[in-house]
């Protein structure tokens, strides 16, 4: 038997048991497991249990991809996944078998939820303990933040969660291109110091490069290995380290996600880039799918 938990998304908290060895997951009703999430493809994912009890995932050329263990799953390739590892499909998160319950806690904040199975639902009771899964929690929490109807409030919530996880981030900006007016951008900016929020201050030169080339820019130490003109701009802005990744929509770049550190160099690491690519992808998806009732 294969047990699949729904950790996040419209069907959060449900648990499904399957006797068959091959399970199809997607938005269409003809799947074994239907996920009612519009960012999930009609036929998104195949889960296959081998005779040895291993699980193989295959992305079925989904539009928005499959993500787990810090990597995207290339379409058409079988890849083993261990039980208890969260699997992100579109904006929803599922999990196979044993070990999933520890991840259910990520949605409870300081009060951790422990699940008990009752039919195909999970009944929760609260307990408290610390957690060492802050990065994984961030991914989960971003989903909930992006469910807000007001786009400005949602994007500010994304930045607030970044501040909570990465103490070395001093300022952040989400820059969104206006599809109706070429060259016009809308900016959501926040500083760790609330007094600085009134006037957005970020390095527009770096944002321009990211929007133009569609590639991330990471400068760990603004005093070393940086071209002279840009180094001078960063010095004037008192920036020690900076990272900026593109907001990549379905067919084009719709903006950029920018963070910087004013206090010390080497504020950003390799694993941060992978994290921000995933966050920017999900943020772009929410913006492009028009989840919000308001406009920037």
């Amino acid at each position: 038997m294969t047990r699949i938990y729904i950790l996040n998304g419209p069907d959060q908290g449900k648990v499904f048991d399957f006797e068959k060895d091959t399970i199809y997951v997607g938005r269409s009703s003809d799947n074994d497991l239907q996920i009612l999430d519009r960012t999930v493809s009609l036929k998104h994912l195949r889960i296959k249990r081998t005779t040895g009890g291993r699980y193989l995932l295959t992305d079925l050329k989904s539009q928005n991809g499959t993500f787990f263990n810090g990597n995207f799953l290339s379409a058409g390739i079988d890849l083993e996944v261990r039980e208890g590892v969260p699997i992100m499909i579109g904006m929803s998160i599922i999990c196979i078998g044993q070990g999933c319950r520890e991840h259910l806690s990520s949605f409870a904040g300081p009060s951790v939820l422990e699940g008990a199975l009752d039919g195909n639902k999970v009944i929760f009771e609260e307990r408290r303990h610390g957690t060492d899964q802050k990065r994984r929690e961030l991914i989960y929490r971003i989903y909930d933040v992006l469910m807000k109807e007001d786009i400005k409030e949602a994007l500010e919530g994304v930045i607030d969660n970044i501040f909570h996880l990465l103490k070395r981030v001093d300022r952040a900006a989400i820059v969104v291109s206006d599809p109706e007016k070429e060259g016009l951008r809308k900016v959501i900016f926040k500083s760790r110091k609330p007094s600085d929020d009134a006037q957005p201050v970020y390095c527009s030169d770096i944002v321009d490069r990211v929007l133009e080339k569609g590639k991330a820019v990471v400068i760990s130490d603004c005093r070393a290995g940086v071209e002279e003109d840009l180094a001078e701009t960063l010095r004037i802005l008192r920036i020690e380290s900076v990272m900026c990744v593109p907001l990549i929509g379905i067919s084009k770049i719709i903006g950029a996600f920018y963070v910087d550190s004013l206090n010390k160099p080497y504020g950003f690491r390799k694993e941060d880039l992978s994290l921000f690519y995933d966050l920017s992808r999900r943020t772009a998806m929410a913006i492009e799918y028009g989840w919000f009732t308001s406009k920037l």
Side-chain angles (χ1 to χ4, degrees), residues 103-138:
H103 301 300
L104 290 168
S105 66
S106 298
F107 304 99
S111 295
V112 177
L113 302 176
E114 187 169 21
L117 190 63
D118 180 16
N120 71 335
K121 296 273 189 175
V122 176
I123 308 300
F124 298 106
E125 62 182 35
E126 292 193 356
R127 61 190 176 89
R128 301 180 69 88
H129 68 67
T131 177
D132 59 356
Q133 301 178 41
K134 288 185 178 180
R135 289 176 179 273
R136 189 171 289 155
E137 284 186 24
L138 176 62

Side-chain angles (χ1 to χ4, degrees), residues 139-163:
I139 299 290
Y140 298 158
R141 291 178 185 276
I142 290 300
Y143 177 93
D144 293 327
V145 167
L146 290 174
M147 292 295 99
K148 295 182 181 294
E149 294 183 353
D150 183 271
I151 184 171
K152 185 173 184 293
E153 183 181 351
L155 297 184
E156 287 178 345
V158 171
I159 294 175
D160 287 339
N161 276 279
I162 293 296
F163 284 161

Side-chain angles (χ1 to χ4, degrees), residues 233-245:
T233 299
L234 295 172
R235 186 188 65 79
I236 293 173
L237 294 174
R238 296 182 301 155
I239 296 171
E240 292 287 347
S241 54
V242 60
M243 178 169 63
C244 186
V245 299

